[in-house]
């Protein structure tokens, strides 16, 4: 069973109305994974959802409370929250030797495999994005340009 601590699980969360679609897509992928997996015959993957409201302290509190309440239940930790929550919760998951996965955390600090050795991301770190813009500028012949990034978290 995977524990998924996600922001914005409420369908119309104040900062992001994506909660409903995020859960719907996850259920679809989970169904596909369970139909096609052959490694653990007779077993299936389930997910427990918790809404951390994109708050690192709350995310860590939810993770620890679930690990205490259900000590033998979880084998992985999925997080779709920002980098700050991933950095906090990775301090816990590394102690439990749980895979820790996330699509939203983009901080280059999470690439430090000594500190975050069980963290896996599914997106390019911010530093990779910077390299991309540098190459675009070079190809376009630009000598000055600005990139504005807005983060909500």
């Amino acid at each position: 069973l995977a524990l998924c601590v996600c922001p914005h699980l409420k369908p119309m969360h104040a900062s992001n109305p994506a909660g409903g679609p995020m859960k719907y897509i996850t259920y679809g992928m989970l169904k596909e994974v369970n139909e096609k997996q052959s490694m653990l015959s007779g077993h299936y993957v389930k997910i427990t959802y918790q809404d951390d409201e994109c708050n690192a302290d709350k995310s860590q509190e939810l993770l620890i409370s679930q690990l205490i309440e259900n000590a033998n239940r979880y084998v992985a930790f999925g997080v779709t929250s920002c980098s700050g929550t991933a950095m906090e919760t990775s301090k816990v998951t590394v102690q439990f030797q749980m895979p820790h996965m996330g699509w939203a955390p983009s901080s280059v600090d999470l690439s430090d495999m000594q500190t975050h050795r069980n963290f896996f991301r599914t997106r390019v770190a911010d530093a990779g994005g910077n390299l991309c813009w540098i190459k675009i500028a070079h190809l376009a012949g630009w000598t000055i340009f600005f990139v504005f990034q807005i983060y909500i978290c």
Side-chain angles (χ1 to χ4, degrees):
L1 186 64
L3 174 61
C4 185
V5 175
C6 307
H8 326 303
L9 288 182
K10 300 173 187 114
M12 292 305 287
H13 188 280
S15 65
N16 187 339
M22 281 173 55
K23 277 182 93 170
Y24 181 77
I25 291 166
T26 304
Y27 282 132
M29 288 305 300
L30 188 62
K31 182 178 182 282
E32 190 171 327
V33 165
N34 281 326
E35 287 172 353
K36 294 182 179 179
Q37 74 91 8
S38 59
M39 290 174 52
L40 300 169
S41 182
H43 293 80
Y44 58 94
V45 178
K46 287 180 72 178
I47 296 177
T48 300
Y49 292 97
Q50 301 283 325
D51 187 352
D52 69 357
E53 300 171 4
C54 206
N55 178 298
D57 292 334
K58 185 170 184 175
S59 188
Q60 191 169 33
E61 180 184 318
L62 287 167
L63 172 61
I64 291 169
S65 68
Q66 285 297 314
L67 290 174
I68 291 169
E69 287 177 34
N70 304 291
N72 297 317
R73 189 175 197 182
Y74 299 109
V75 296
F77 182 62
V79 60
T80 59
S81 236
C82 58
S83 299
T85 58
M87 283 189 253
E88 283 301 308
T89 52
S90 74
K91 295 173 186 174
V92 175
T93 57
V94 75
Q95 299 302 317
F96 285 85
Q97 298 181 346
M98 295 174 74
H100 183 178
M101 296 148 287
W103 67 266
S106 61
S107 171
V108 72
D109 294 343
L110 288 162
S111 298
D112 178 1
M113 294 305 290
Q114 295 291 81
T115 305
H116 307 284
R117 62 183 175 269
N118 61 328
F119 179 77
F120 305 93
R121 73 171 99 229
T122 57
R123 79 185 280 177
V124 175
D126 290 337
N130 294 342
L131 180 60
C132 177
W133 279 110
I134 290 168
K135 289 189 179 213
I136 289 171
H138 177 74
L139 289 171
W142 300 339
T143 56
I144 297 175
F145 69 98
F146 296 93
V147 177
F148 293 96
Q149 294 179 320
I150 299 172
Y151 292 99
I152 301 173
C153 241

